[in-house]
Amino acid sequence: MEALLGESLVGKAGAGIPVKSIAGEGKVVGLYFSAHWCPPCRGFTPQLVQWYKTFRESANGKQLEIVFISSDRDESSWQEYYGEMPWLALCFQERDRKAKLSKQFKVKGIPMLVFVDGSTGKKITDQGRNIVQEDPNGEKFPWEPETIGDILKGSLLSTNGQEVGMDSLDGCILALYFSAHWCPPCKHFTPELIKTYKKIRQDGKKFEIIFCSSDRDEASFKEYFGTMPWLALPFGDERKQKLASLFNIEGIPALIIIGENRKVITKEARGVIEKDSEGKDFPWYPKPLNELTNATGSLINEETCLVYLTDGKEKSMRQAQEALHDQAEALFKETDQNLYFFYGGEVNIVYLFCILASSYTSFDSLANDGFKGDVTILLYTLNKDVL
């Protein structure tokens, strides 16, 4: 926990609360990313305060502590906002640590409440807000998330209306397809997915898709599902929301590939299939080194990435792969990979996926400041410690 939060935190009586005092076996620490200026935060904080007070009076009360991780713009706002909270806080001056925590836990919006193991500092769940709403008395402490296999237990629907048990899919690669009849991009992607699905099945590979509907009524669900050759969760099934929460589904269509062991293979299967519609690389296991494309580039705004840019010619692309191959292979084998490798030949692709510094206001300014010849190497990162 000290590696995560430092040696001390701020308490209601001032600074100097040892992080060790909230760490230990069986304990849970909630990291509350929030800010005074954020209206949704100001709405959620009173709910969290009441929930926290209720939980602290329960049998497990001493096993939980919350730490406020501020996104406030100045210290006076931080002090005013923290005055409303009964828990601990990361010191406002620790901006670098706050940035590291935001990156580590992929904080894209606030408020966000992440529960971590008080012994290891590893994430238990980033669905803390949902827990506050759904478990008002903390009866499910320590909120270990259900596995994919646990959530999927039960029956599925086939297109002829018959029930199919999950046990019949043992040994199958699965795809969870989050989609809806009312969604234009979904209606465009579904026919393409059907072609890929049929091609993979014709090749004799064990593959099944489960439709997880976001349709607004059962009639729309039935009409849309009627166009699909695979299985589905029944309309309104609570498993759909659990899966959407587990995978942080924020937009549709989304396609998640699950292995025979019910572990995630890729969360980016929609883009991958658009590039590999024949399923030649099925089931699309992650690779140590990837070409930067629309299908692979989403990672670039979430992790530290080394991108080798070329002029797009075959020789240059081959040189890029050779230059990065050994290091990419070595880091790929690490349990906690912290650097990802890409090569590419189109500067526009990088511009689309990178959150560029404010000095880069156009393709021309980016090109003029680096992309001039055959090869440029760009280390793109949100982690200042890498630079």
Side-chain angles (χ1 to χ4, degrees), residues 239-259:
R239 289 175 290 177
K240 182 265 175 182
Q241 188 54 50
K242 287 183 177 181
L243 290 167
S245 295
L246 182 66
F247 296 114
N248 293 322
I249 302 298
E250 297 178 348
I252 54 174
L255 189 67
I256 314 292
I257 304 297
I258 309 297

Side-chain angles (χ1 to χ4, degrees), residues 314-348:
E314 182 178 351
K315 180 180 178 181
S316 300
M317 295 283 273
R318 186 170 61 252
Q319 288 175 337
Q321 293 177 65
E322 291 171 352
L324 297 179
H325 177 271
D326 289 350
Q327 188 64 27
E329 286 278 356
L331 286 181
F332 186 71
K333 296 175 183 177
E334 293 187 2
T335 303
D336 296 317
Q337 186 176 359
N338 59 9
L339 183 62
Y340 296 82
F341 293 81
F342 293 88
Y343 64 93
E346 294 186 34
V347 69
N348 290 4

Side-chain angles (χ1 to χ4, degrees), residues 107-297:
V107 179
K108 298 178 181 179
I110 53 175
M112 182 172 177
L113 180 61
V114 180
F115 288 121
V116 301
D117 187 300
S119 176
T120 65
K122 292 185 177 180
K123 183 179 74 174
I124 296 173
T125 178
D126 56 12
Q127 298 298 309
R129 289 180 66 187
N130 289 341
I131 288 171
V132 170
Q133 303 293 334
E134 298 169 6
D135 187 20
N137 297 314
E139 295 173 356
K140 297 180 180 179
F141 176 88
W143 307 295
E144 293 284 351
E146 293 180 271
T147 65
I148 298 167
D150 288 339
I151 294 174
L152 284 174
K153 285 179 180 176
S155 297
L156 304 170
L157 288 181
S158 65
T159 51
N160 61 13
Q162 294 183 339
E163 291 188 354
V164 177
M166 272 298 302
D167 54 358
S168 68
L169 301 180
D170 288 348
C172 234
I173 299 290
L174 300 181
L176 304 177
Y177 183 38
F178 297 87
S179 185
H181 184 273
W182 52 262
C183 165
C186 299
K187 295 182 77 172
H188 173 76
F189 177 65
T190 297
E192 301 305 313
L193 180 58
I194 290 172
K195 293 176 185 177
T196 302
Y197 170 80
K198 289 181 176 179
K199 179 67 171 63
I200 292 171
R201 302 260 294 191
Q202 287 168 2
D203 290 342
K205 297 170 183 174
K206 298 185 72 175
F207 179 49
E208 190 55 82
I209 296 177
I210 301 173
F211 172 40
C212 305
S213 172
S214 292
D215 286 302
R216 293 164 180 158
D217 57 74
E218 191 165 8
S220 298
F221 163 76
K222 288 180 177 179
E223 179 182 348
Y224 191 33
F225 181 43
T227 68
M228 303 173 182
W230 44 70
L231 305 176
L233 294 174
F235 179 75
D237 193 299
E238 65 176 7
R239 289 175 290 177
K240 182 265 175 182
Q241 188 54 50
K242 287 183 177 181
L243 290 167
S245 295
L246 182 66
F247 296 114
N248 293 322
I249 302 298
E250 297 178 348
I252 54 174
L255 189 67
I256 314 292
I257 304 297
I258 309 297
E260 300 97 321
N261 60 358
R262 300 303 175 249
K263 302 290 185 182
V264 175
I265 294 176
T266 178
K267 298 179 183 179
E268 308 296 337
R270 175 192 173 191
V272 171
I273 284 177
E274 288 174 345
K275 185 176 177 63
D276 180 27
S277 60
E278 294 293 306
K280 294 178 181 178
D281 293 328
F282 174 84
W284 306 289
Y285 286 106
K287 299 177 181 178
L289 177 61
N290 292 280
E291 181 179 357
L292 188 64
T293 66
N294 290 331
T296 63

